[in-house]
Amino acid sequence: MTLSTHISELKRKHQSLSDKVEEAQRAPSVDGLHIASLKKQKLKLKEEIERLSS
């Protein structure tokens, strides 16, 4: 796997998590801890993307 392919995959996962966070925030029954967990995963991906891109 090339670096650019890996970064593209990380970006795809990041967008998927963004979609899940938005969906979870709209659902009144979703636990706040679950949303926080998704946001942490999203942040870790963003940090890795930035690290690999520099």
Side-chain angles (χ1 to χ4, degrees):
M1 178 183 293
T2 67
L3 182 60
S4 62
T5 305
H6 184 60
I7 291 172
S8 294
E9 181 66 18
L10 292 174
K11 287 181 179 180
R12 186 192 64 74
K13 289 179 181 180
H14 184 267
Q15 183 58 49
S16 175
L17 282 171
S18 290
D19 295 342
K20 288 180 182 180
V21 168
E22 285 182 31
E23 187 177 316
Q25 288 176 328
R26 282 187 255 126
S29 63
V30 176
D31 183 19
L33 292 176
H34 179 68
I35 294 172
S37 174
L38 290 173
K39 287 183 176 183
K40 283 182 185 179
Q41 291 175 43
K42 188 177 154 189
L43 179 60
K44 285 181 183 181
L45 284 174
K46 182 179 178 183
E47 290 172 345
E48 186 172 354
I49 291 167
E50 289 175 357
R51 183 181 60 80
L52 293 173
S53 296
S54 56

